[in-house]
Each structure stands twice: as C-alpha cells, then as structure tokens.
Amino acid sequence: MNTELNSILNKASIKLIENQKELIIKSVFKVSNKSNIGVLLIFLGGIFIIYVSIFKSTDWFSIILGGLLGGIMFIISLLTLIDQTSNYIKITKKEIKFKHKLKTQCFTLNSNIKIKMTQYREHVNSDTTTYYQNITLYLINSKSKIEIFSFLIEGKDGKEAKKLGRIIVQKLNNRITGLKKI
C-alpha cells in the first residue's frame, strides 16, 4: 500500500489487511478523533456521576437519580466504544463476514452479491460548525440491502474520504468476483 492510502486510512481510523487468503477491513479506536474524545468524556462523566451519587449523596433521591443518569451515560458510551472498536469486514474463501452495529453476519458469496457505497456530508453545530463526510458501505444481494461498514472523516478531508470509500468498495468487489471464479 502506498503512503497516501495509509494516510487516508489513518485519518478514517481504519486498518486494511490484504493477502491471498483474505481481505480484512476493520475499525481502529484512536483517541485523537474528535468523536472518540466526546464518547470518552461521556463515559468518564457517567462513572463520575455514579461515584458522586453513591458515595457523596446523603438522600435516596440523589442516589437513585444520579445512579440512573450516570448508568445510562456509562452504558450508552460503553456500547458505542465497543461498537467503534469491533466493526470489521472479512472476506475469506467463499464467504463475507462482517460486524456492524454490534451485530455479526455472514454470507456465502454468490453472483448476486455486490458492495455499494453511499456518502453524505453532515454538519454539527456548536460554537463553530463542523462538517463530516460520512461513508457507508452496503452489501446488496437479491433479497436485501444491508449496511456493513461506515466511517466518518472531517469535512476538510472529504475528497479523501470519498476516495477511500471507492478504493475499499473496489477491493471488496474485486475480491468477491475473484473468489467466485475459483
């Protein structure tokens, strides 16, 4: 792989492993991503609220409300972290296996399977407006269209995000059509 592709993969927090037997595309957790920093802050905030409500509160209402609010923050952020660190696509001999949104699925390759990409730009309003390029990959077969992988890159790198999405789709489709001929 060339250094330009590695740079884009790094910005998208994706690891690409390719050899003759398999192709693996997986998410990598990086603390430097803005969205990951937010999730970590919510995670730590949930732990802090649970701690304060249980060990520093004197009335039952504060203990229950703080524990409930902190518990919800903790659980949601924990599930988000698990999801972000465990997403992958793996193509082996005759199957494609993927984990997305905490759900693992496996399909046997056939002539009806194709991988397609959608992309859109979303913005987040806070003190300043931040744009993100959202790339989503879908497995399309004769029966359904299933979301299999997605990633975000900051809007300033939107062209690189689209390029990375096209490269990944091309590699997946090439691997699928190549394996079907074996």
Side-chain angles (χ1 to χ4, degrees), residues 71-84:
I72 290 170
M73 289 172 59
F74 174 79
I75 289 170
I76 289 173
S77 60
L78 181 65
L79 289 174
T80 302
L81 290 170
I82 291 169
D83 179 52
Q84 289 179 351

Side-chain angles (χ1 to χ4, degrees), residues 133-157:
Q133 190 68 38
N134 187 330
I135 306 293
T136 305
L137 304 179
Y138 294 91
L139 181 139
I140 299 173
N141 61 20
S142 59
K143 297 178 184 175
S144 59
K145 178 179 179 180
I146 302 165
E147 188 175 326
I148 62 172
F149 196 80
S150 62
F151 62 92
L152 287 173
I153 294 184
E154 285 189 55
K156 65 181 179 178
D157 299 317

Side-chain angles (χ1 to χ4, degrees), residues 34-46:
K34 288 181 182 177
S35 62
N36 292 343
I37 292 171
V39 173
L40 285 173
L41 288 175
I42 293 170
F43 179 78
L44 295 173

Side-chain angles (χ1 to χ4, degrees), residues 20-86:
Q20 288 183 337
K21 292 183 179 183
E22 61 190 9
L23 171 66
I24 302 171
I25 299 158
K26 62 185 199 176
S27 297
V28 179
F29 183 80
K30 294 191 177 184
V31 179
S32 60
N33 287 357
K34 288 181 182 177
S35 62
N36 292 343
I37 292 171
V39 173
L40 285 173
L41 288 175
I42 293 170
F43 179 78
L44 295 173
I47 292 172
F48 178 74
I49 290 172
I50 291 170
Y51 173 78
V52 169
S53 67
I54 291 174
F55 296 108
K56 301 295 181 183
S57 295
T58 56
D59 63 296
W60 284 102
F61 180 75
S62 298
I63 293 171
I64 292 170
L65 185 63
L68 188 61
L69 178 63
I72 290 170
M73 289 172 59
F74 174 79
I75 289 170
I76 289 173
S77 60
L78 181 65
L79 289 174
T80 302
L81 290 170
I82 291 169
D83 179 52
Q84 289 179 351
T85 58
S86 64

Side-chain angles (χ1 to χ4, degrees), residues 12 14 100 116-122 132-138 147-153 157-166 168-169:
I14 295 174
H100 185 62
K116 299 280 185 180
M117 174 184 90
T118 62
Q119 39 114 22
Y120 63 91
R121 191 174 185 193
E122 65 181 61
Y132 290 96
Q133 190 68 38
N134 187 330
I135 306 293
T136 305
L137 304 179
Y138 294 91
E147 188 175 326
I148 62 172
F149 196 80
S150 62
F151 62 92
L152 287 173
I153 294 184
D157 299 317
K159 288 181 182 179
E160 291 178 330
K162 292 176 192 176
K163 182 178 180 178
L164 178 60
R166 287 191 294 269
I168 291 173
V169 167

